[in-house]
Amino acid sequence: MLNTMLKKWWVILLQGILLFILGMLIFNNPVEVLTGISLWFGIILLVTGVIGLFGWLFSGSEDRDSWILIWSFVTAVFGVLILTNLLAAMKVITVIFGIWVLMTGFNLTTSGWSLKKENSLGWFLLIIGVLSVAAGLMMIFNISSGIAGVAVILGIQVILSGIALILLSFVKKSLAGKIEDQIKKLKSI
């Protein structure tokens, strides 16, 4: 197993490169990305609801809980609604994401306001917070800027993950050489 871990550093490098490319595609296709997210969200809800319904049906009568039945049915119905109306799902996801950015902005603004007298970092938090509040409001009230916002944040996350994997692959390659040298030294003793 150690041999496999040490020799396959290039797999991590390839994964990092692919994630970096995916991040660039996300930036260039924000509507398609949000459509895909909505589609997967609908599929996950539908499958989760159906599995819950089957679980309820196949459980013994003493284990059946009517709340599980209701929750599974509602989850499956939401999955079907999302899958039959992806545009509405995209709008809902964008608004939820906008509310999250807005709340984060309020939190950063209040933290920055209280820290600005003690530390210059407070001003930085305050500025980022105000910008986040503005971005959150734009995402909530303007669907196209909301779609772009979701794509930008997702794209940044995917690109950063890709860069991290690329760096990890080089560290792993370097570490593999050092470990192999140590193993050779131990074998020669």
Side-chain angles (χ1 to χ4, degrees):
M1 181 172 159
L2 180 63
N3 193 28
T4 303
M5 276 184 13
L6 297 177
K7 298 287 184 190
K8 304 300 182 197
W9 63 270
W10 57 270
V11 173
I12 296 172
L13 176 65
L14 185 59
Q15 289 172 335
I17 291 169
L18 290 175
L19 278 176
F20 188 84
I21 293 169
L22 178 63
M24 291 299 166
L25 289 172
I26 289 170
F27 281 126
N28 292 327
N29 302 300
V31 174
E32 289 83 0
V33 169
L34 193 56
T35 303
I37 291 170
S38 300
L39 180 67
W40 277 108
F41 189 64
I43 290 170
I44 289 169
L45 284 178
L46 177 61
V47 169
T48 301
V50 169
I51 289 171
L53 290 171
F54 277 117
W56 185 87
L57 284 173
F58 292 118
S59 64
S61 60
E62 66 278 350
D63 293 329
R64 288 185 178 170
D65 185 0
S66 54
W67 285 110
I68 291 175
L69 175 65
I70 293 169
W71 182 255
S72 297
F73 179 75
V74 168
T75 302
V77 168
F78 274 134
V80 169
L81 290 174
I82 287 172
L83 291 172
T84 57
N85 194 349
L86 285 176
L87 183 60
M90 290 170 59
K91 289 178 181 179
V92 169
I93 289 172
T94 302
V95 169
I96 290 170
F97 195 77
I99 291 170
W100 175 71
V101 170
L102 181 68
M103 299 308 292
T104 301
F106 282 135
N107 188 22
L108 290 172
T109 302
T110 56
S111 296
W113 187 262
S114 63
L115 290 174
K116 68 180 174 60
K117 291 180 183 175
E118 300 169 24
N119 192 335
S120 61
L121 181 63
W123 284 104
F124 180 72
L125 289 175
L126 182 65
I127 291 168
I128 296 297
V130 168
L131 291 174
S132 294
V133 167
L137 289 172
M138 284 177 24
M139 292 171 122
I140 293 169
F141 294 111
N142 183 346
I143 190 73
S144 56
S145 67
I147 291 171
V150 171
V152 165
I153 291 175
L154 183 62
I156 288 172
Q157 175 61 38
V158 170
I159 286 174
L160 290 176
S161 296
I163 291 170
L165 284 176
I166 291 169
L167 294 174
L168 177 65
S169 72
F170 290 122
V171 169
K172 188 174 180 180
K173 181 181 179 187
S174 172
L175 185 63
K178 291 177 184 177
I179 291 174
E180 286 175 348
D181 291 342
Q182 291 298 323
I183 290 172
K184 286 178 187 176
K185 285 180 186 178
L186 289 173
K187 285 182 179 180
S188 67
I189 296 177

